[in-house]
Structure formats: structure tokens, C-alpha cells
Amino acid sequence: MLIDQLPAPRWGSAPRTRARAARRRAPVLVVALGAACALLAGCGSGPNQAGAAVIVGNSSVSLTDVQARVDQVLNRSDVMTNLTARGNTAADIARFVATRQVQHLLLAQAAQRDGIVVDDQRVDAELAKPDTAQMLNGDLVFDPVAAREAVRDQLIAEALTAKYLDRLAVTVDVTTASSRDEALSKARLLAAGPAQAAAVLAADGANAQRNLQLRAALVPQSAALFLFGTPAGQVVATQTSASPDVWTLVRVTRRSTDGPPVGDPNATSVAQLGVQTMDDIGRRLTQPLAEQLGVRVSPRYGTWDPLFLSVLPPGQQPSVVLPATLS
């Protein structure tokens, strides 16, 4: 299946360090943040970019706050020795911190929208778990205030997953291209209308899948992929392999989060998912909100990728997001 070829989420991986606890994946920031570039969404009215590291809607985090968190990492000689030995730079660390701050603002907005409340007692209980400290160290969180923020974000992401996973469904068309130019050409045709899209998919034959109907709860390990977060009425394309050059294109014709639950609630995939997967899916569920609110990032850190929900360095080939005519 073509969706099996899509890249894993790239927003949550910290710079490459020693292996973390089993509840978290081994972090690989340079690989994770280095495979796609960005389309920068505008914010309209709201905070001014001057002095802001990241802006989400009408909320922002200052350059001073982000740099303070970066400095906490840079001042840890033991951590930096490990990071630099694995090829990480101060710029990689800064992009990771900026990414987490954007995600923090998005998760806070999602919690407010959905009435999700994470009280201090829940945060305290999570912080008291033996493996939480190792998880926070792996995410380059060394400050007590930042630790509470990171844990609260994770609990919000888990709550979003619990609320929506069993009701999330998408219908998509998927195909591939062998270069950026071909991907752009196909994306424009896929977005132009049903007849043009049908012609592209028919010409691609076995390399394409049409009207692929997916329930996130039935493929939970894929639920954090961008095809589950992309709103209906969009065509997206991104490079999924550099050598050989392969681009995956997805035309989303339907996306809903209010369908009937899948199967027995006591046997749903939510109850069986690990913490990291729950966190990944919850962050993916903020993708439409990021588009709705708009995200801006200071050029000193890079640009925001609307598919991978992460800050990426400039100069890389961008993911493609186009509005599509569905009828």
C-alpha cells in the first residue's frame, strides 16, 4: 500500500542523543528535521514578528524565551558532547526548541477549543513516574517550568488522540512522482478538478490508488501521517525518498472527525497504543488548526512546514500544498 511509503512524523524527535526509555523513540533530529522544507503560513493581524521567535494566531513566544531554552542545552557540556558527536549543531537544537514552542501553542489552542483541562495534579503524577525524567532529558528539557509545560503538552496530545482517533476517517487518492518537477505538475492537475485528477491517476496505473478509505483507528500506527491531518479539498506532495528521488502526492477528498466509533470501545486501538504513538497522533491532530490560525517562525530558525509541523532549515525543497477543486 502506498501509504506505507509515507515518511514517519518529523516533529517530535529531539537532537540525536543516547537511547531514551522504551516509551519514547530514539531521537534523530538531523534526519527528522532535514527531509522537507516549508510553506510559511501568514498570521494576518496579531503579534508582530519583531522580537518573536514563533507566532501562532494571536499567541507568540519571544526570541528571548527560545534562546534561553537553547542556552540551557548549550551550557550542558555533557549533553553537548553527546549531541555534537552525533553531528548536531546549535542550529539543530534551536530549530527543535522552536518547533516544540509552536507545538506548545497549537496544543494549548486545541485544548481550549475542545475543553481539555490538564490540572497540576495530573502533571505532578506524570512527573513522579520513573521514566519521565529520562524522557524529558531526551527532549532537551532541563528547566522545571519547561518540564511541566512539556508534560502538560503530552497529556493534551494524548487526550486529543483519545477523543478523535476512533472517529477520524479520510478518503484519499495517492500517487507518486520521480522528481520535484513531476510532482508539481501532477499536483496541479490533481488539484484542477475531478476529470484532471482521474486522468493522472489512470495514467499512473498500479502506482496510484483511488478512493482509498481509511479509518485511523484501524491503522493507528499510520494515524500520525500527514494524510490524516490534511483537510479535505487539498492536494499535498512531499519528497519521501532522496535516493532514488520519490515524491508522494495525496489528494484528500474527505476528512471527518465525527464518525461513529470503530468496533467495541473496550477493544479500540486507543487502549492499546503506547505513549509515544498517542503523542504523535495528538500532535498530528493540530495540523488543521495550524493552518487555520497561521504559523510564523523567525527566519533565524528556519521555516515552518505545514505537513510535518516542524521548523526546517532554509534551502531545502518544500512540501507542496494546493487547494483542490473536488466537484
Side-chain angles (χ1 to χ4, degrees), residues 274-285:
V275 171
Q276 180 64 56
T277 302
M278 293 276 285
D279 186 66
D280 284 346
I281 295 171
R283 292 173 192 271
R284 171 57 60 198
L285 289 165

Side-chain angles (χ1 to χ4, degrees), residues 30-280:
V30 172
V31 174
L33 295 188
C37 194
L39 296 173
L40 193 60
C43 270
S45 61
N48 191 289
Q49 185 71 61
V54 301
I55 299 174
V56 176
N58 291 320
S59 301
S60 65
V61 178
S62 70
L63 289 167
T64 300
D65 288 345
V66 168
Q67 189 58 49
R69 297 193 183 207
V70 173
D71 288 342
Q72 288 174 2
V73 180
L74 299 180
N75 292 334
R76 294 284 297 262
S77 59
D78 55 335
V79 174
M80 286 305 300
T81 297
N82 186 35
L83 290 174
T84 55
R86 287 159 174 77
N88 296 287
T89 67
D92 296 322
I93 295 167
R95 278 191 291 274
F96 174 70
V97 172
T99 291
R100 284 302 202 185
Q101 289 305 293
V102 173
Q103 292 170 2
H104 167 66
L105 296 177
L106 288 171
L107 288 166
Q109 290 283 346
Q112 183 177 14
R113 177 197 64 194
D114 290 358
I116 296 171
V117 177
V118 178
D119 58 33
D120 288 340
Q121 289 74 20
R122 288 187 63 195
V123 174
D124 291 339
E126 191 70 19
L127 285 168
K129 293 180 179 179
D131 56 351
T132 298
Q134 185 176 355
M135 177 271 289
L136 291 170
N137 287 340
D139 279 344
L140 306 183
V141 176
F142 306 114
D143 175 76
V145 174
R148 297 189 70 83
E149 178 184 287
V151 167
R152 182 171 273 108
D153 286 350
Q154 177 179 299
L155 292 172
I156 292 171
E158 292 175 11
L160 290 171
T161 301
K163 180 174 182 177
Y164 290 111
L165 181 66
D166 284 332
R167 298 179 180 275
L168 175 59
V170 297
T171 303
V172 297
D173 301 323
V174 185
T175 190
T176 61
S178 58
S179 69
R180 174 174 171 77
D181 287 344
E182 184 185 12
L184 285 171
S185 177
K186 285 187 177 181
R188 293 186 184 106
L189 290 171
L190 288 170
Q196 296 92 326
V200 170
L201 298 167
D204 285 352
N207 290 325
Q209 290 178 288
R210 299 185 61 179
N211 199 37
L212 185 60
Q213 300 179 39
L214 301 169
R215 292 296 301 263
L218 299 180
V219 286
Q221 299 306 318
S222 298
L225 298 175
F226 62 77
L227 65 82
F228 278 104
T230 301
Q234 287 188 351
V235 170
V236 298
T238 193
Q239 188 182 41
T240 49
S241 172
S243 182
D245 193 6
V246 177
W247 287 67
T248 298
L249 296 88
V250 178
R251 176 176 180 260
V252 183
T253 57
R254 180 178 177 273
R255 181 181 186 271
S256 65
T257 57
D258 57 0
V262 176
D264 180 359
N266 296 319
T268 60
S269 53
V270 173
Q272 304 169 28
L273 294 178
V275 171
Q276 180 64 56
T277 302
M278 293 276 285
D279 186 66
D280 284 346

